[in-house]
Amino acid sequence: MACGFRRSIASQLSRVLDLPPENLIKSISAVPISRKEEVADFQLSVDSLLENNNDHSRPDIQIQAMRLAEKLKCDTVVSEISTGQGTVNFKINRELLTKTVLQQVIEDGSKYGLKSELFSGLPPKRIVVEFSSPNVAKKFHVGHLRSTIIGNFIANLKEALGHQVTRINYLGDWGLQFGLLGTGFQLFGYEEKLQSSPLQHLFEVYVQVNKEAADDKNVAQSAHEFFQRLELGDMQALALWQKFRDLSIEEYMRIYKRLGVHFDEYSGESFYREKSQEVLKLLDSKGLLQKTLKGTAVVDLSGNGDPSSICTVMRSDGTSLYATRDLAAAIDRMEKYNFDKMIYVTDKGQKKHFQQVFQMLQIMGYDWAERCQHVPFGVVQGMKTRRGDVTFLEDVLNEIRLRMLQNMASIKTTKELENPQETAEQVGLAALIIQDFRGFLLSDYQFSWDRVFQSRGDTGVFLQYTHARLHSLEETFGCGYLNDFNIACLQEPQSVSILQHLLRFDEVLYRSSQDLQPRHIVSYLLTLSHLAAVAHRTLHIRNSPPEVAGARLHLFRAVRSVLANGMKLLGITPVCRM
Ligand code: ARG
């Protein structure tokens, strides 16, 4: 609630401006801390007020700000009112600020910032987030990894905000690749290998049978036939397909667990084989389906034959395509979950695909199509593991763990750890996630292991290091000092900066919840860690009088709590030792 300060300022403003406080709350923002000087805590941008008023004449904003400031009075909450560039600035009573922020951080725990007045009046919604969605037997590429961590973040954030979230993994588990796989497995598959490492073995078989099929028409023919048997519901073929799918999911679940990711539903394209046929009938009955000379069927979204708006929905043999199955899946999910919002997380290469799917739903008469949203992300270049390009998710995780273990071994400050493998994995994952979440999701970037693992600078390693350090501070001094403290002792600029920064957490969460970009939270946590490092150097606990030591310890504990909250939202497990 930024501790209710915004509401308190808004109610005074509301009297002066004769506007309801609810309209003012979002115009009052916590001032980002600046290294230069002590800044005010909150500011009201006069510009945004005028927007609220729909007043387009825009009289001189500076004069407006000054006039407004003159009409406002200090009270028990606000101790100073001043003006800046088109803003009215408010300084909160220092003691109240300290007390309220620390109390709120501890009381609200993992909900700190989420109970804010910024989110009040936001009804809980039913939200479906579809993410990760790899293709069975094909490469798990970096795009799938990005989809996994971004989707997980979005689901975490929505859940934290009180929405009811359903996480769906929509597997690529249908299509000609299963014809090839069926044939390939009969030729060069091994049951034991399939059982012990299904993803690896199926991929090997897939690569090999692809090669064979390119040279040998008979193999290609038999792959086609196998897929046709699947499409027709042949029990034997389906049993083999089911085994491939089940074993793959089992292995995926184990690996997702290492990533800290779970799904409520493993769905897939295969589910929509029959329902796609219904969709085709529906399109036809609405007069939207057009047969082509080649025997395929298309939907013309522009209505005037513009080739870029033509979407193929049926092959010449009557089978469905990717887009058809997505239509069926969306309709099915609406029936099943009655969602208020459905979010698809994939690389930007699928932008047009989703535009077309949503548009088709719309012209089919489904108004809820506007509740569907595609969250696209950019391409990552150059991620390689020891085995080469990324083929398996597990390779990436192993690479992270190995590199991080080597890093930790070379750093003198590394502690004796109970489970170094696990710590290395968690620190390494933090590094990967922060690197990925620092910029706009839509931007492409060049991947570099060295940059990911830098312990200094703005990396996930730094966040984990800060968390571990703060944790050990509590362990060392916790029991001795926490009962006896005086918050009036937290008046140094380092403490005030931290408090001011903690005050802003809700705003940062709000921003990320609006544009679904994790970068706001990332840069917030990095700043928090830098502030903690400065405070750690200057605000000593050892040898300080107990009431000072206790107050500082409280401050550090609040920092760690908010740091941990933010990291968890991003999908990072904070470590207590490293
Ligand atoms: N399996 C697809 C791929 O790897 C991603 C699926 C995205 N989701 C969807 N509903 N189409 O490209």
Side-chain angles (χ1 to χ4, degrees):
M1 40 190 72
C3 312
F5 293 138
R6 251 187 235 106
R7 187 170 291 282
S8 165
I9 297 172
S11 67
Q12 192 183 160
L13 279 167
S14 125
R15 282 191 294 274
V16 173
L17 294 166
D18 201 19
L19 284 169
E22 295 311 318
N23 296 12
L24 296 164
I25 281 178
K26 285 187 183 132
S27 306
I28 302 168
S29 53
V31 181
I33 54 118
S34 93
R35 289 186 192 163
K36 284 173 270 153
E37 57 201 303
E38 207 185 320
V39 289
D41 304 308
F42 287 96
Q43 65 182 29
L44 170 84
S45 136
V46 176
D47 210 21
S48 71
L49 270 190
L50 295 178
E51 268 164 35
N52 277 350
N53 268 346
N54 284 332
D55 181 345
H56 297 296
S57 57
R58 295 288 174 105
D60 180 49
I61 289 181
Q62 200 56 36
I63 295 177
Q64 293 279 320
M66 266 145 68
R67 280 204 195 126
L68 180 55
E70 275 163 21
K71 289 188 208 153
L72 298 166
K73 288 194 196 69
C74 293
D75 53 20
T76 47
V77 174
V78 176
S79 65
E80 225 176 278
I81 298 170
S82 56
T83 53
Q85 283 294 325
T87 62
V88 180
N89 302 340
F90 303 88
K91 188 169 167 180
I92 304 294
N93 174 308
R94 279 290 161 264
E95 201 151 322
L96 186 68
L97 176 82
T98 315
K99 195 171 116 205
T100 319
V101 171
L102 292 184
Q103 206 171 4
Q104 205 84 55
V105 172
I106 302 304
E107 256 172 38
D108 289 352
S110 65
K111 290 263 166 256
Y112 177 72
L114 294 161
K115 293 183 172 178
S116 162
E117 56 230 351
L118 292 177
F119 299 110
S120 70
L122 212 72
K125 302 236 167 89
R126 285 175 301 269
I127 301 179
V128 170
V129 186
E130 188 222 90
F131 62 106
S132 198
S133 309
N135 303 318
V136 176
K138 290 194 188 168
K139 269 189 182 183
F140 183 102
H141 53 75
V142 191
H144 293 125
L145 177 61
R146 276 203 101 181
S147 170
T148 309
I149 60 178
I150 295 168
N152 185 49
F153 159 71
I154 293 174
N156 288 348
L157 182 63
K158 295 284 181 192
E159 219 159 64
L161 288 168
H163 302 299
Q164 184 197 321
V165 175
T166 305
R167 300 161 186 247
I168 297 182
N169 196 337
Y170 181 71
L171 300 170
D173 61 358
W174 201 248
L176 191 60
Q177 86 231 43
F178 283 93
L180 283 158
L181 216 53
T183 299
F185 194 74
Q186 283 156 355
L187 293 173
F188 0 82
Y190 291 97
E191 187 64 30
E192 309 85 76
K193 282 195 189 172
L194 179 67
Q195 295 291 340
S196 62
S197 43
L199 296 180
Q200 162 102 31
H201 188 52
L202 288 177
F203 181 68
E204 282 164 4
V205 169
Y206 183 66
V207 170
Q208 198 171 353
V209 70
N210 253 313
K211 266 196 222 128
E212 298 286 324
D215 300 336
D216 185 342
K217 282 218 173 66
N218 289 332
V219 175
Q221 179 59 26
S222 106
H224 255 284
E225 282 166 15
F226 194 95
F227 184 55
Q228 220 132 39
R229 279 168 63 199
L230 281 174
E231 284 269 339
L232 293 173
D234 175 295
M235 295 300 258
Q236 228 182 343
L238 277 175
L240 190 62
W241 166 83
Q242 188 75 46
K243 183 151 83 176
F244 293 161
R245 186 179 193 275
D246 289 350
L247 289 169
S248 301
I249 291 182
E250 226 173 86
E251 189 173 353
Y252 263 126
M253 281 167 89
R254 184 175 58 72
I255 306 168
Y256 284 128
K257 203 166 166 200
R258 274 176 73 179
L259 260 176
V261 170
H262 73 276
F263 294 92
D264 300 300
E265 186 182 308
Y266 281 83
S267 137
E269 293 182 44
S270 66
F271 283 35
Y272 300 107
R273 187 167 37 110
E274 279 157 29
K275 287 206 165 84
S276 298
Q277 295 303 322
E278 288 165 29
V279 167
L280 290 172
K281 278 194 205 122
L282 197 63
L283 282 166
D284 201 21
S285 73
K286 292 187 186 267
L288 297 166
L289 204 63
Q290 297 177 13
K291 286 273 167 60
T292 67
L293 289 173
K294 286 185 265 169
T296 61
V298 301
V299 176
D300 175 7
L301 286 161
S302 64
N304 61 20
D306 171 6
S308 71
S309 321
I310 287 190
C311 184
T312 309
V313 289
M314 191 189 86
R315 287 204 189 83
S316 55
D317 62 3
T319 57
S320 63
L321 281 107
Y322 186 49
T324 334
R325 296 193 280 269
D326 257 327
L327 292 174
I331 296 166
D332 181 52
R333 290 176 194 168
M334 188 62 205
E335 280 167 12
K336 200 162 160 195
Y337 299 112
N338 189 19
F339 55 79
D340 298 299
K341 182 114 219 153
M342 175 152 66
I343 295 170
Y344 297 84
V345 188
T346 77
D347 65 86
K348 61 186 179 188
Q350 301 207 29
K351 210 165 163 180
K352 185 166 171 204
H353 164 76
F354 284 107
Q355 264 167 7
Q356 292 194 329
V357 168
F358 301 161
Q359 225 180 323
M360 278 191 278
L361 289 169
Q362 194 67 258
I363 61 171
M364 287 169 87
Y366 296 117
D367 290 341
W368 50 260
E370 62 189 28
R371 300 183 203 170
C372 299
Q373 181 184 2
H374 177 220
V375 175
F377 54 80
V379 182
V380 182
Q381 281 119 2
M383 187 193 273
K384 285 208 170 26
T385 67
R386 254 142 255 233
R387 302 216 306 191
D389 286 329
V390 173
T391 309
F392 301 106
L393 174 54
E394 194 159 28
D395 283 340
V396 182
L397 297 183
N398 291 344
E399 185 88 11
I400 288 173
R401 191 163 63 187
L402 190 74
R403 285 183 185 258
M404 201 59 225
L405 274 173
Q406 287 168 350
N407 263 21
M408 282 167 30
S410 69
I411 296 170
K412 282 191 226 73
T413 51
T414 301
K415 306 261 183 314
E416 278 289 327
L417 297 169
E418 245 166 65
N419 192 342
Q421 299 263 345
E422 199 180 303
T423 306
E425 180 141 309
Q426 274 153 5
V427 177
L429 274 172
L432 182 86
I433 290 173
I434 294 301
Q435 145 109 345
D436 195 274
F437 285 0
R438 278 181 59 184
F440 278 102
L441 294 179
L442 207 50
S443 317
D444 302 341
Y445 70 89
Q446 187 70 36
F447 185 84
S448 139
W449 286 109
D450 289 338
R451 191 144 30 92
V452 167
F453 287 132
Q454 270 165 14
S455 57
R456 279 162 211 277
D458 292 344
T459 64
V461 181
F462 175 51
L463 293 188
Q464 288 285 30
Y465 175 69
T466 307
H467 185 269
R469 218 164 152 205
L470 292 169
H471 187 267
S472 92
L473 205 64
E474 279 171 56
E475 263 185 350
T476 317
F477 300 107
C479 10
Y481 291 113
L482 276 173
N483 298 328
D484 179 19
F485 66 95
N486 177 3
I487 46 156
C489 301
L490 295 175
Q491 298 307 324
E492 308 82 357
Q494 299 91 320
S495 304
V496 176
S497 295
I498 287 181
L499 291 162
Q500 287 177 322
H501 195 57
L502 292 177
L503 203 53
R504 257 187 88 227
F505 190 51
D506 62 345
E507 239 164 69
V508 170
L509 296 176
Y510 183 74
R511 267 210 222 161
S512 282
S513 76
Q514 291 292 301
D515 63 8
L516 302 183
Q517 299 283 331
R519 67 192 182 95
H520 312 297
I521 299 177
V522 171
S523 77
Y524 176 89
L525 296 180
L526 289 166
T527 304
L528 184 62
S529 298
H530 284 296
L531 291 172
V534 174
H536 198 271
R537 273 198 303 276
T538 48
L539 307 178
H540 300 281
I541 292 179
R542 202 185 294 280
N543 301 331
S544 294
E547 57 168 15
V548 177
R552 289 178 179 174
L553 208 52
H554 267 278
L555 184 70
F556 284 124
R557 194 162 78 153
V559 172
R560 186 178 72 83
S561 170
V562 175
L563 182 60
N565 291 351
M567 288 166 83
K568 285 180 200 159
L569 282 177
L570 298 175
I572 296 171
T573 309
V575 300
C576 294
R577 225 172 261 275
M578 67 181 274

